[in-house]
Amino acid sequence: MNESAICTFSTTLPLNINVSGVQSTSVAKMADRRKRHRNAKGDKPDRGEEEVQDVDESSPVIQMFRGFQQELDQRHDKHERIVKLSRDITIESKRAIFLLHRVNNPTENADILQQTEEKLAALENTKFREVAKELVNTDPFQFLRAYTAGLQEYIEALTFYVFLKDNKLMPLSDVQARLTFTANEASKVNEDNKSSNENKGVPMELSESENSGQIVKPESKLMVYVPASEYILGLADLTGEMMRRAINSVGCGDMDRPFEICSFLQSIEAAYASLGNANREVNRKLHTLRQSLRKVEMACYTLRVRGSEVPKHMLIDMISKPSMAQLHVDDTEVLDDD
């Protein structure tokens, strides 16, 4: 071994030993520091709390964002209240539709029609009136999606009731008129709310803040706005109830009613087809409308062709069961959609 190799070995060995010793010392110091930090962590406040305490509430920027927070909270609370009211409206409207399916003859079942009218009137004077209060001084389209389901179901029930009673289609203007409350009714709403809040022990300031600071004045008008799009969608749902009405009328012995309903559905289908490619929701309901129309047309075909051959008590079974021709039509529509 030469002298240069011996010098290199003698200088390298102590150096490595010193480096490892320094590393072990630094690791021990870091572990000790972490231990002391963990022990003292519970005595010091959180950094987030220090930042919150340092916020200057008198700053104009902070006050502006506090106002934004309050406005968004009030808007969210109003949206949730309207959604809950819409659920109640949907449930009561479905009950009214189920009640109307018990009507076989409008003359003989006038009591059922009267019960339906009372149920719809109570729905308008309670749930829809509360929705109208929430929409005071508000853009009607801002919260439309919150109550669109209940509004469409109500339109379906109301138009079905008018058709069974008067054998006509209720226009949009009449639907809007039923959901518009006069000034006297608006002031009556305020009196009822004030008395109910006094009975509950709620301060007047708190009751006014529930409607985002909006107070319904006696001279104002309460109204639940009904857009034409919602009327069209609600009317499309009516066709399904009309199809069920046509099939049930055969079981009741009324052989002329299916042909009247078939003509009515054909006119509605032609009107919807003229809209073209409006939007996805209309196209989806138009497809369901056409399926209901095909079922009524097959029922009318069976009554016209085989009505004299089959006893009346067996016609309802033949109409209810899909024929091969109807299955072929449904398969063709599915292939066309694909």
Side-chain angles (χ1 to χ4, degrees), residues 36-54:
R36 286 188 283 106
H37 177 71
R38 286 196 298 267
N39 295 333
K41 188 176 180 180
D43 300 334
K44 295 182 179 180
D46 191 8
R47 186 175 181 181
E49 296 179 358
E50 292 180 355
E51 294 179 354
V52 172
Q53 293 175 0
D54 295 336

Side-chain angles (χ1 to χ4, degrees), residues 57-333:
E57 294 292 340
S58 62
S59 173
V61 178
I62 299 300
Q63 293 179 358
M64 179 178 63
F65 276 91
R66 294 298 185 194
F68 293 159
Q69 178 185 2
Q70 184 179 5
E71 182 179 355
L72 291 176
D73 290 342
Q74 291 176 355
R75 184 178 302 177
H76 177 73
D77 295 339
K78 178 182 290 189
H79 183 273
E80 291 300 318
R81 291 195 298 267
I82 295 176
V83 168
K84 292 179 181 178
L85 291 172
S86 178
R87 294 196 192 106
D88 296 337
I89 292 172
T90 302
I91 294 173
E92 294 299 328
S93 299
K94 288 184 179 295
R95 290 174 179 173
I97 292 174
F98 296 154
L99 185 62
L100 288 172
H101 277 296
R102 296 169 52 190
V103 177
N104 297 328
N105 190 339
T107 305
E108 299 176 356
N109 303 116
D111 55 340
I112 299 179
L113 293 176
Q114 182 64 28
Q115 293 178 14
T116 307
E117 172 63 26
E118 295 175 356
K119 185 179 291 292
L120 293 175
L123 183 62
E124 296 162 1
N125 294 325
T126 55
K127 302 302 180 181
F128 272 110
R129 182 177 288 180
E130 293 180 10
V131 174
K133 288 194 303 176
E134 298 288 349
L135 299 177
V136 172
N137 300 329
T138 305
D139 185 2
F141 291 96
Q142 184 176 2
F143 297 97
L144 179 60
R145 294 187 63 85
Y147 65 93
T148 178
L151 181 60
Q152 292 180 22
E153 198 70 28
Y154 165 77
I155 292 174
E156 178 184 358
L158 182 61
T159 51
F160 189 35
Y161 162 74
V162 174
F163 183 85
L164 293 180
K165 181 181 178 182
D166 302 327
N167 200 22
K168 67 177 183 179
L169 180 63
M170 189 175 191
L172 174 60
S173 58
D174 292 349
V175 177
Q176 184 63 79
R178 291 183 67 108
L179 298 181
T180 302
F181 307 99
T182 60
N184 294 331
E185 292 174 339
S187 60
K188 184 179 179 180
V189 171
N190 290 331
E191 294 177 357
D192 294 341
N193 292 336
K194 183 177 179 180
S195 60
S196 62
N197 290 328
E198 290 177 353
N199 294 331
K200 296 178 182 179
V202 179
M204 186 61 185
E205 294 79 8
L206 181 59
S207 63
E208 292 175 357
S209 62
E210 291 179 354
N211 287 330
S212 302
Q214 298 173 355
I215 304 175
V216 182
K217 299 180 180 179
E219 62 271 12
S220 63
K221 179 179 292 187
L222 290 174
M223 180 181 66
V224 178
Y225 180 65
V226 183
S229 59
E230 300 303 313
Y231 175 77
I232 291 174
L233 295 175
L235 195 62
D237 295 333
L238 171 67
T239 58
E241 306 303 331
M242 299 300 296
M243 180 270 296
R244 297 182 184 89
R245 173 63 181 171
I247 301 302
N248 294 335
S249 62
V250 177
C252 298
D254 189 358
M255 302 302 173
D256 296 329
R257 193 64 170 175
F259 295 95
E260 297 175 359
I261 294 177
C262 182
S263 177
F264 176 75
L265 294 181
Q266 287 174 345
S267 61
I268 291 182
E269 192 272 338
Y272 274 77
S274 64
L275 296 176
N277 190 9
N279 56 48
R280 182 172 58 184
E281 190 69 16
V282 173
N283 293 336
R284 183 181 64 85
K285 295 201 173 187
L286 178 59
H287 178 71
T288 306
L289 188 156
R290 287 172 175 168
Q291 288 181 336
S292 301
L293 177 59
R294 298 295 179 270
K295 292 179 182 179
V296 177
E297 288 177 344
M298 292 302 300
C300 294
Y301 171 81
T302 303
L303 290 176
R304 185 69 69 186
V305 175
R306 305 193 61 183
S308 59
E309 303 174 0
V310 181
K312 290 185 178 180
H313 67 277
M314 297 180 61
L315 285 175
I316 186 65
D317 296 331
M318 295 183 59
I319 293 173
S320 301
K321 296 179 180 179
S323 61
M324 295 301 297
Q326 185 175 356
L327 293 175
H328 176 70
V329 170
D330 295 339
D331 295 339
T332 305
E333 291 179 353

